[in-house]
Amino acid sequence: MTDLVTRAQLVLLARTLHVPAERLAHLEKLGAARLHELQQRIARRIFDEHTATFRRVDMLVPVVPLSISLPLVQRMVPPTMAGRAAGAVGVEHPRKAAEALGMLEVSYAADCAPYLDPRTVGELADVAPPGPVVAITNELLRRGDYVTAGPFLAYATPALIRAVEAGVHDDEGMIRSAAYAYSSASISAVIREMLHGSAQRIPRLAATLLSGSAELRLTALSVFARCDEDVIAALGGILIDVGTVEQNGDLVRVAAEAGAIRELLTLVGHLGPSALDTLAANPVTADHAVMSALVAAVAEHPEPATLRGLVNLLERADAETTRRWGRLLFESADAVLVELPVLVTEARLWPALLRILAEIDGETQTRLGEAWAKLPVADRETLERRVHELRLDTRLATLTVTMNIYG
């Protein structure tokens, strides 16, 4: 599956170049970060080419009253040019720009929005009146123009976030728009504000995505997995709490089938104990296709975020599930097994991982002991100390004995 963040940046680049996204499909291999950088550089070049023209327009702003100029602009100036000029004019005359925003027809303002210079939006955010912003946002979402709405999240002030939270009621549109916001910090800031807002919007968003299409759930996972740890933890807890047994199971199943396992396990890895227990008891953990996909993905590309999600889930599952899928994880290639201790340390997973190991058969422990015997002496001693601290000496005897024999 194409990385959802990469796909979003490709669509934004296509919008900037005014070409179908399909024509740029070969650029997906650049990845999200490079596509974002390319889009930003091209956008800057396009706007900089018109600097001289925009400066001449700036000179007219203090002279011609808005009550006269705006009706003429809306009647005679194409949205493409009006949008490009508006950003530059707004930097020089922010108060006038804020006043004009409230006087424009919502439809015309929405037509202009895709052509605003992103560099100027942030400078206007503090003076933009919330009412018109909410009206324009609603119009963009009504049109399904998530490509335009999403990047503006990077400039949303707390006041604007609260206004949008109260006045924009399209939950699905808000989720889809967030997918086009590249900055993880910006997404986290917006969601964090909503988590603590009086409107309590997040539970409603969670219910919408859980009952929505598979594609909407994947989009939401892509957005959530990019948030700060505290935000992911809060979102994950709400998702599991709001969802029914069937909905939570379907969320896991859809992610596994679509290849969005990294996003899913990143979310799972930040769940609190109660939410983890709920998910671990879900019937989806008995689905062979789903669980084998999760284990295979972690074994193929082990990293702290996904390893944490899988290990935490297995530790909370019933004994049979823990043994079955834990054993499969520890049957990975030797190169992966040797790398595992470093990842486990980074993810702070030793207690959970060792408890899973204690449930595994002696044959698997022996194989793992042979692989970990290649670790430096200090690392082996640390492992043995952790085993002792958790009082798992008896159940992990095969592992520690094998490490000492081969080490």
Side-chain angles (χ1 to χ4, degrees):
M1 183 190 74
T2 300
D3 174 50
L4 296 175
V5 184
T6 299
R7 177 63 184 172
Q9 293 307 306
L10 188 71
V11 171
L12 282 167
L13 177 59
R15 163 69 73 87
T16 302
L17 294 172
H18 302 285
V19 299
E22 292 71 24
R23 286 187 56 184
L24 304 180
H26 60 286
L27 296 178
E28 286 181 356
K29 59 188 176 184
L30 293 178
R34 290 183 178 178
L35 283 172
H36 176 72
E37 180 185 358
L38 180 60
Q39 186 273 332
Q40 293 288 296
R41 290 175 62 185
I42 292 174
R44 286 195 294 268
R45 181 64 179 270
I46 290 173
F47 285 105
D48 289 345
E49 285 180 351
H50 299 284
T51 299
T53 301
F54 294 154
R55 282 177 181 162
R56 289 195 291 271
V57 176
D58 284 344
M59 297 170 62
L60 298 175
V61 174
V63 178
V64 183
L66 291 176
S67 59
I68 296 175
S69 62
L70 288 184
L72 292 174
V73 167
Q74 293 180 90
R75 194 178 311 124
M76 301 176 62
V77 180
T80 306
M81 182 53 68
R84 288 178 177 170
V89 171
V91 172
E92 297 296 327
H93 310 281
R95 298 294 173 184
K96 281 279 190 178
E99 184 183 351
L101 193 60
M103 298 172 65
L104 285 173
E105 294 178 5
V106 172
S107 179
Y108 184 79
D111 289 339
C112 296
Y115 307 104
L116 287 171
D117 184 346
R119 291 174 296 180
T120 65
V121 175
E123 299 186 40
L124 300 178
D126 288 331
V127 297
V133 171
V134 168
I136 294 167
T137 301
N138 277 324
E139 177 61 18
L140 290 172
L141 298 189
R142 186 191 67 78
R143 299 178 181 186
D145 189 0
Y146 314 124
V147 181
T148 296
F152 290 164
L153 287 176
Y155 312 104
T157 63
L160 287 177
I161 294 170
R162 289 193 293 271
V164 168
E165 183 180 14
V168 177
H169 305 295
D170 184 352
D171 295 323
E172 180 171 342
M174 292 178 70
I175 295 169
R176 293 188 182 278
S177 297
Y180 291 97
Y182 179 72
S183 169
S184 299
S186 298
I187 297 174
S188 296
V190 170
I191 296 179
R192 189 179 288 112
E193 185 73 32
M194 294 175 71
L195 281 166
H196 300 298
S198 58
Q200 287 296 294
R201 187 66 179 277
I202 297 299
R204 203 180 89 185
L205 283 167
T208 296
L209 75 91
L210 286 169
S211 62
S213 66
E215 194 249 337
L216 179 63
R217 280 173 276 175
L218 293 173
T219 299
L221 280 175
S222 171
V223 173
F224 294 171
R226 289 190 283 142
C227 293
D228 294 341
E229 290 191 0
D230 64 307
V231 175
I232 300 177
L235 286 170
I238 291 172
L239 267 178
I240 300 301
D241 185 54
V242 168
T244 64
V245 171
E246 292 76 14
Q247 287 175 330
N248 289 333
D250 284 344
L251 180 66
V252 174
R253 190 172 289 106
V254 163
E257 291 174 352
I261 294 173
R262 185 182 188 281
E263 291 83 356
L264 172 70
L265 290 180
T266 297
L267 183 72
V268 174
H270 290 87
L271 293 179
S274 177
L276 263 176
D277 285 340
T278 299
L279 189 60
N282 193 287
V284 75
T285 59
D287 187 315
H288 183 275
V290 169
M291 294 304 294
S292 59
L294 299 188
V295 175
V298 173
E300 185 176 354
H301 297 293
E303 55 180 306
T306 55
L307 186 63
R308 183 188 297 116
L310 181 62
V311 167
N312 285 349
L313 185 64
L314 292 181
E315 186 202 10
R316 298 274 177 166
D318 62 81
E320 175 57 31
T321 299
T322 300
R323 283 193 293 270
R324 181 177 186 182
W325 300 109
R327 175 175 181 173
L328 184 62
L329 175 63
F330 296 123
E331 287 177 349
S332 304
D334 283 354
V336 173
L337 295 180
V338 171
E339 184 184 1
L340 207 54
V342 174
L343 299 174
V344 172
T345 299
E346 184 177 343
R348 304 182 298 278
L349 282 174
W350 277 116
L353 187 82
L354 290 173
R355 279 192 283 269
I356 292 174
L357 262 174
E359 300 296 327
I360 306 300
D361 59 274
E363 181 182 343
T364 303
Q365 287 190 25
T366 297
R367 181 169 180 269
L368 190 59
E370 291 174 359
W372 285 0
K374 302 172 186 176
L375 296 172
V377 174
D379 291 342
R380 295 203 308 273
E381 290 176 347
T382 299
L383 273 172
E384 290 189 55
R385 185 170 63 253
R386 290 183 179 275
V387 169
H388 180 70
E389 289 170 354
L390 291 169
R391 305 181 184 223
L392 298 171
D393 308 64
T394 304
R395 287 188 289 169
L396 287 177
T398 304
L399 172 70
T400 54
V401 168
T402 306
M403 283 172 53
N404 289 324
I405 290 175
Y406 285 88

